[in-house]
Amino acid sequence: MVDIKMAFLHYIPVSELLLTVRSIDLMKTKTGLNRLEHHTDRYYGDDLIIRRGNTFMMWLDLSRPYYPNTDRLHLELKTGSLPTVAKGTHVIIPLVEELEDDRWEAKIVKRDGNRIKLSVNSQPTAMIGRYQLTVATHSPKGKATSTHDPGNDIRMLFNPWCEDDTVYMDDEDEKNEYVLNDVGRLYYGTENQIGARTWNYGQFDEGILDACLYVLEKSVTPPSGWGDPVNVVRVISAMINSPDDCGVVEGNWSGKYVGGTSPTAWSGSVDILKKYQKDGGIPVRYGQCWVFSGVTTTVLRCLGIPSRSVSNFNSAHDTDVSLTTDVYFNENLESIDHLNTDSIWNFHVWNDCWMARPDLPPGHGGWQAVDSTPQETSQGTFRCGPASITAIRNGQVFLKHDSPFIFAEVNSDKIYWQRNLDGTFTQIHSEKNAVGHCISTKAVGSDERNDITHLYKHPEGTEEERIAVETASRYGSKPDTYSSPIAEDISIEVTMDGEGPRMGGDAELNIVMRNASSLPRTINLHSQVAVMYYTGVLKATVKKDEMPVELLANEGEPMNILYYTSVTFSLSVSLISSLSDVASRSSVTLTEHFVPTLPGSRKLVASLDCKQLTQVHGVANIDVKEK
């Protein structure tokens, strides 16, 4: 007898199986379509780096085919420590039939068995930063959510190529310069001796994007505000300096740099930002204005905000919001040092950044000034800007942010005050062209210097410029400065032939006094020569003179004053590779090995750190070919 056993199998339709995500392919390689179309192919590594307002592609490998009649699927992006849908830090991206602009959406554009390809659209106002990606599925058998994989984190940037992004810039050459160029020029010295140094911004170097995002995260500002470039720039301005928030760079103007690096030794931002992140947010020592500016340019360009470093020569530092640069004398025309806190720097370096300003009246978008050097506080924090350059040019200092301070830097008058016997002060002289000269930035597409003074101020002495100055002063702490004109029938002009004084040489000053009145004048000429830091801070007085001068009616009296200087020094240079000092009339050769990470025309930058000989640096153009 034969027993026949029959087995019955229970058939379950595939569509009734639980739908889960097996893997996610973000198509994130540097040479992939996503990175190329989002202009992020220069960033180091193979993370998905995208710009808001654009679409990107991704593949989902599912446990079974996706059936739109019974299945549901959406993407979730989370950023910050407390992601919230209402604040835009928890983004739910639904599947739709057709994509529309200005919203988060995803559309299936291709099917391949269990795999589906999605085209994902992002908002042009989305928060920038690092997003965690998960995929949620819903099928007849229940719900499932994919496990978060840090390798699939998405880094979102501002998008100057998107017309709906407030940082949109329409000129391609300018985008190439102010977003994609990772090497620039910083200007220093005096208006008659403008020096230039090459600075490696390095925004695409290994680890720099994460370091820039780390700076944002270290600010402890809510990510819900990181969709507004005005707010982000204000945060970065505060975080690049260290005084009140343990920011990136510690300033030092003492000339003593033990325990850190001399500000003149830095040649780029990369080492600074990497060290800041590696050390857990301990400020990097040391920096001065060009270092603060260079690092700011790196961070802003890295995050997608068009930016440039800007140098202002004869740059005023207004300490009392008077919008004038004030000099005080006693009854005997002797300086009152404790009142003379305003100063004029030989040069000062800050930044311009490009964006629309929907928070200001129409016409104030475009270039905005931002200054990360810690000079004065703004709302209790050392930061400055962004301030509309158009507002600064027209004296509209009532428009935010910090436009009074920047206006004073470029267009304040230098006012001389003498103390009266009753303790009050009288205005005795003013210089209307003392500050804001040769405002400079690197030209687009070349290493030439571009003078942009006309963007910050009307031509000196014109009616428009005077109106701007007097308009601005009404909003300062001395609104009556221009209410009553002072007699200026005696004028004085001090000039110097050639390019100015040089170390070891004599300085010959030409002083011309003119009496424009119809009466003779007897005046006392007070002159003082002092040694100052480039920041305008007094170091020591070299010589003081007083002499009587008789001027006839309608007469000009020229005179020359010669000041002798004799400066000698010895040179001792210590190299970072621990070589011995450089002996007299000898040379030292240093060999360094490095591997370029980006092809094309590049620049090799070197700087010399020497106590006795500062601002020594060089650059060589090199051509890096694809491997």
Side-chain angles (χ1 to χ4, degrees):
M1 179 180 294
V2 178
D3 292 333
I4 300 176
K5 296 181 179 179
M6 300 185 65
F8 295 93
L9 297 177
H10 178 64
Y11 174 74
I12 301 176
V14 174
S15 61
E16 294 183 9
L17 295 175
L18 182 67
L19 181 66
T20 60
V21 176
R22 290 177 174 172
S23 64
I24 300 173
D25 179 7
L26 293 178
M27 305 169 65
K28 56 188 181 179
T29 60
K30 289 184 64 172
T31 56
L33 192 62
N34 282 334
R35 295 276 296 268
L36 288 171
E37 290 191 346
H38 285 251
H39 306 278
T40 59
D41 52 299
R42 301 188 189 186
Y43 288 87
Y44 183 89
D46 285 330
D47 296 313
L48 181 58
I49 305 168
I50 60 175
R51 299 188 187 274
R52 64 185 194 176
N54 277 14
T55 59
F56 62 95
M57 301 293 182
M58 60 186 291
W59 281 98
L60 296 181
D61 185 13
L62 305 175
S63 58
R64 61 168 174 79
Y66 179 82
Y67 296 101
N69 292 333
T70 57
D71 296 329
R72 296 291 180 267
L73 179 152
H74 70 263
L75 311 179
E76 294 193 21
L77 296 176
K78 297 179 181 180
T79 186
S81 57
L82 294 172
T84 307
V85 172
K87 294 184 177 180
T89 52
H90 180 184
V91 181
I92 298 176
I93 308 175
L95 281 185
V96 296
E97 292 295 323
E98 294 297 332
L99 295 178
E100 298 183 23
D101 293 334
D102 300 338
R103 63 184 64 185
W104 285 101
E105 294 175 328
K107 175 186 176 182
I108 298 176
V109 294
K110 190 174 182 179
R111 301 172 189 266
D112 183 11
N114 291 358
R115 301 175 73 230
I116 59 173
K117 186 178 185 181
L118 301 181
S119 176
V120 185
N121 195 39
S122 63
Q123 277 186 322
T125 58
M127 316 304 162
I128 67 161
R130 191 195 327 263
Y131 286 87
Q132 297 180 356
L133 169 66
T134 56
V135 182
T137 56
H138 186 189
S139 63
K141 282 295 182 180
K143 300 179 181 179
T145 301
S146 66
T147 303
H148 167 242
D149 179 1
N152 285 332
D153 284 354
I154 297 174
R155 290 151 178 81
M156 179 75 74
L157 308 178
F158 290 106
N159 192 354
W161 285 266
C162 174
E163 293 186 9
D164 294 320
D165 195 320
T166 49
V167 303
Y168 172 70
M169 179 176 267
D170 61 353
D171 188 284
E172 286 298 322
D173 291 336
E174 291 187 345
K175 284 196 286 275
N176 286 331
E177 180 67 50
Y178 299 130
V179 182
L180 299 181
N181 193 355
D182 58 355
V183 180
R185 302 275 276 177
L186 306 181
Y187 299 95
Y188 65 94
T190 67
E191 64 174 308
N192 294 320
Q193 299 176 11
I194 297 178
R197 63 180 301 161
T198 300
W199 190 267
N200 176 33
Y201 297 126
Q203 67 265 33
F204 306 122
D205 280 27
E206 180 181 6
I208 294 303
L209 175 55
D210 283 345
C212 293
L213 294 176
Y214 177 78
V215 172
L216 266 182
E217 294 160 1
K218 190 75 168 51
S219 70
V220 199
T221 58
S224 57
W226 296 356
D228 181 4
V230 174
N231 183 55
V232 170
V233 164
R234 196 147 172 78
V235 170
I236 295 302
S237 172
M239 282 302 300
I240 296 302
N241 63 68
S242 67
D244 41 31
D245 46 22
C246 288
V248 178
V249 178
E250 180 177 330
N252 187 339
W253 287 264
S254 69
K256 301 176 182 178
Y257 308 116
V258 176
T261 301
S262 168
T264 58
W266 298 111
S267 60
S269 309
V270 172
D271 290 341
I272 295 173
L273 287 165
K274 281 187 174 181
K275 180 173 175 56
Y276 181 70
Q277 183 181 24
K278 179 183 177 182
D279 293 348
I282 298 175
V284 178
R285 299 176 175 176
Y286 295 103
Q288 292 182 10
C289 62
W290 62 89
V291 180
F292 291 109
S293 174
V295 175
T296 299
T297 300
T298 298
V299 175
L300 295 185
R301 288 186 183 181
C302 187
L303 298 179
I305 300 176
S307 178
R308 62 190 184 188
S309 290
V310 172
S311 297
N312 177 38
F313 293 88
N314 288 5
S315 186
H317 180 176
D318 178 24
T319 58
D320 59 0
V321 202
S322 66
L323 281 82
T324 54
T325 303
D326 300 302
V327 183
Y328 295 94
F329 298 97
N330 64 16
E331 299 82 351
N332 299 319
L333 283 178
E334 296 170 332
S335 174
I336 306 177
D337 291 341
H338 72 277
L339 293 181
N340 290 330
T341 55
D342 289 354
S343 58
I344 298 179
W345 300 28
N346 285 351
F347 72 97
H348 180 49
V349 191
W350 63 72
N351 292 82
D352 285 345
C353 57
W354 180 272
M355 65 184 70
R357 290 300 298 268
D359 57 325
L360 298 181
H364 290 89
W367 288 116
Q368 316 288 314
V370 55
D371 194 343
S372 299
T373 300
Q375 298 179 87
E376 301 294 326
T377 59
S378 170
Q379 297 176 316
T381 301
F382 281 100
R383 58 187 169 186
C384 185
S388 165
I389 290 181
T390 300
I392 294 167
R393 189 172 192 256
N394 295 320
Q396 297 170 308
V397 297
F398 47 84
L399 297 176
K400 59 184 182 182
H401 293 279
D402 309 309
S403 53
F405 184 81
I406 299 173
F407 178 89
E409 286 185 302
V410 300
N411 206 15
S412 58
D413 287 351
K414 189 175 183 180
I415 308 292
Y416 296 82
W417 304 86
Q418 184 176 17
R419 187 170 63 195
N420 302 315
L421 293 176
D422 62 358
T424 61
F425 284 88
T426 300
Q427 185 180 155
I428 59 173
H429 182 60
S430 66
E431 295 180 28
K432 297 180 174 60
N433 189 22
V435 305
H437 299 167
C438 302
I439 303 176
S440 303
T441 190
K442 178 186 173 300
V444 173
S446 78
D447 287 334
E448 298 299 314
R449 182 178 68 88
N450 184 24
D451 192 305
I452 58 171
T453 307
H454 63 285
L455 298 182
Y456 274 87
K457 56 198 292 188
H458 294 282
E460 199 69 54
T462 61
E463 182 179 1
E464 294 86 352
E465 188 264 344
R466 286 291 92 195
I467 290 174
V469 170
E470 296 187 19
T471 298
S473 72
R474 296 193 195 105
Y475 295 90
S477 59
K478 296 179 181 178
D480 299 326
T481 298
Y482 297 94
S483 59
S484 56
I486 61 172
E488 291 189 343
D489 53 9
I490 303 297
S491 65
I492 183 170
E493 180 183 11
V494 181
T495 61
M496 187 175 295
D497 293 336
E499 295 183 340
R502 291 187 177 275
M503 188 175 293
D506 298 332
E508 184 172 347
L509 305 181
N510 302 311
I511 301 176
V512 178
M513 291 166 288
R514 292 184 175 86
N515 177 12
S517 72
S518 58
L519 299 173
R521 295 281 192 251
T522 299
I523 64 173
N524 286 324
L525 176 65
H526 295 259
S527 62
Q528 174 178 308
V529 176
V531 177
M532 291 185 173
Y533 296 106
Y534 84 91
T535 58
V537 176
L538 181 67
K539 172 66 175 176
T541 299
V542 176
K543 187 176 182 179
K544 294 176 67 175
D545 279 323
E546 178 183 353
M547 65 179 71
V549 179
E550 298 287 341
L551 290 178
L552 300 177
N554 300 306
E555 180 188 57
E557 177 69 23
M559 59 173 43
N560 294 335
I561 299 179
L562 186 65
Y563 290 102
Y564 297 96
T565 60
S566 179
V567 181
T568 60
F569 59 89
S570 58
L571 177 62
S572 176
V573 182
S574 295
L575 298 176
I576 296 175
S577 56
S578 300
L579 297 177
S580 59
D581 291 347
V582 181
S584 175
R585 301 182 184 278
S586 66
S587 62
V588 171
T589 300
L590 177 66
T591 302
E592 285 284 348
H593 298 277
F594 63 95
V595 178
T597 58
L598 288 175
S601 297
R602 314 297 297 162
K603 292 183 183 294
L604 180 63
V605 183
S607 64
L608 175 68
D609 183 15
C610 173
K611 180 180 179 181
Q612 298 92 339
L613 197 62
T614 62
Q615 295 286 16
V616 178
H617 38 75
V619 60
N621 293 317
I622 59 176
D623 186 41
V624 179
K625 296 183 178 179
E626 289 279 6
K627 185 176 180 181

